[in-house]
Amino acid sequence: MKILVTGGAGFIGSEFVRRHLTVGSSTNITVLDALTYSGIQANLDCMASYPNYTFVRGDICDPETVDQVMAGQDVVVHFAAESHVDRSIQSAAPFIRTNVMGTQVLLDAARRHGIARFVHVSTDEVYGSISEGSWSEEWPLAPNSPYSASKAGADLLALAYHRTHGLEVVVTRCSNNYGHYQFPEKAIPLFITNLMDGKPVPLYGDGNNIRDWLHVSDHCQGIELALKAGKAGEVYNIGGGTELSNRDLTCLILDAVGAGWDRVVRVPDRPGHDLRYSLDDRKIRELGYHPRVSFLEGLSATVGWYQENRSWWEPLTASAAAVELCSLSGRR
Ligand code: NAD
């Protein structure tokens, strides 16, 4: 099988590629990635010598590039996106361009090339905020940030290409991911690396916002199931089963790193900050999904990874710090 992975140099895409590709397997993977600030080719260095791996630096918004890399592929797993809520509040244009227009370019090329399965990787943030209960896949979309609105637009486009053109689209919506190789602007790696560097950790508002945490390997497990066994035209929620307030999450990270609450600085809340996300993921569980990494084990392994891989994240924290967006928000 030939798989085109967009955004494969990012956090989740690179995990998918590392899990999926083994030397000598009959799977071929081509990664298409523009290597924006969050795309790191070194995340895929271990694949570089594999004969069944190809890396193409290119923009999903460029129809010619997309057309060339789509030729001969069997399936597409689409991760490429602008993915950081706070950046979308600063400037929405790159989010509309990549997340909406880039998805449209990919969908058109997928149609032309007779792609057998197109997995569009999305987010629970498209549902908005929920004070009680959990979202099923039928829940109306009510995104509150430019990021989540752009992802909702892309989801609807992808589903429309199924209904209108018969493209074999599956949409996945997952909760907050964490794990190794996550860019240190996002909550968990930001807190870990700040604490390791002796800096304070900034907590948005009262810290009562609740997020469901999902280890990146479990997310990829769900995507693999959606790729193999998902029904075309359907949406699958992928949850982690660990809901935590940002305050409780902060306590767990402080414990894991061996730091105290005196390292926490309260900062004004994010505009339009969703209070709670919660997914009902029974549908993907019927395909055999269940999260395997307990949050405490996953957090401990993640802390260990950042401690052992300072050379990976240190050059990145300078660029992330420059953006001055360093608050805990349950951000992605
Ligand atoms: P990331 O920011 O780490 O990676 C995004 C990748 O896309 C990068 O490698 C970047 O270079 C690439 N990219 C960006 N614009 C591009 C363009 N125009 N053309 C080609 N490549 C481009 O993001 P991530 O956390 O790995 O997220 C991957 C996907 O999962 C996204 O679609 C995101 O919306 C979704 N998602 C993420 C989370 C989370 O918690 N991280 C949760 C839910 C959904």
Side-chain angles (χ1 to χ4, degrees), residues 129-141:
S129 184
I130 189 165
S131 49
E132 284 176 12
S134 302
W135 295 299
S136 72
E137 288 82 356
E138 283 72 45
W139 208 273
L141 304 190

Side-chain angles (χ1 to χ4, degrees), residues 137 155-169 171 173 232-235:
E137 288 82 356
D155 289 20
L156 295 177
L157 256 184
L159 293 169
Y161 272 65
H162 171 71
R163 287 179 199 122
T164 305
H165 299 298
L167 189 65
E168 296 275 309
V169 167
V171 174
R173 295 183 181 141
E234 296 285 323
V235 177

Side-chain angles (χ1 to χ4, degrees), residues 117-200:
R117 171 60 47 112
F118 187 110
V119 179
H120 171 68
V121 178
S122 188
T123 168
D124 59 0
E125 297 195 36
V126 297
Y127 297 118
S129 184
I130 189 165
S131 49
E132 284 176 12
S134 302
W135 295 299
S136 72
E137 288 82 356
E138 283 72 45
W139 208 273
L141 304 190
N144 290 316
S145 72
Y147 162 68
S148 52
S150 70
K151 292 296 288 188
D155 289 20
L156 295 177
L157 256 184
L159 293 169
Y161 272 65
H162 171 71
R163 287 179 199 122
T164 305
H165 299 298
L167 189 65
E168 296 275 309
V169 167
V170 174
V171 174
T172 60
R173 295 183 181 141
C174 69
S175 50
N176 274 42
N177 283 223
Y178 73 99
H180 44 207
Y181 294 99
Q182 188 168 28
F183 195 87
E185 67 183 351
K186 309 287 173 90
I188 288 181
L190 172 73
F191 274 41
I192 295 170
T193 54
N194 270 15
L195 291 169
M196 285 173 64
D197 273 349
K199 295 180 193 156

Side-chain angles (χ1 to χ4, degrees), residues 209-223:
N209 303 69
I210 293 173
R211 300 294 181 262
D212 169 38
W213 290 96
L214 168 68
H215 193 265
V216 64
S217 64
D218 283 325
H219 183 195
C220 289
Q221 179 210 144
I223 292 169

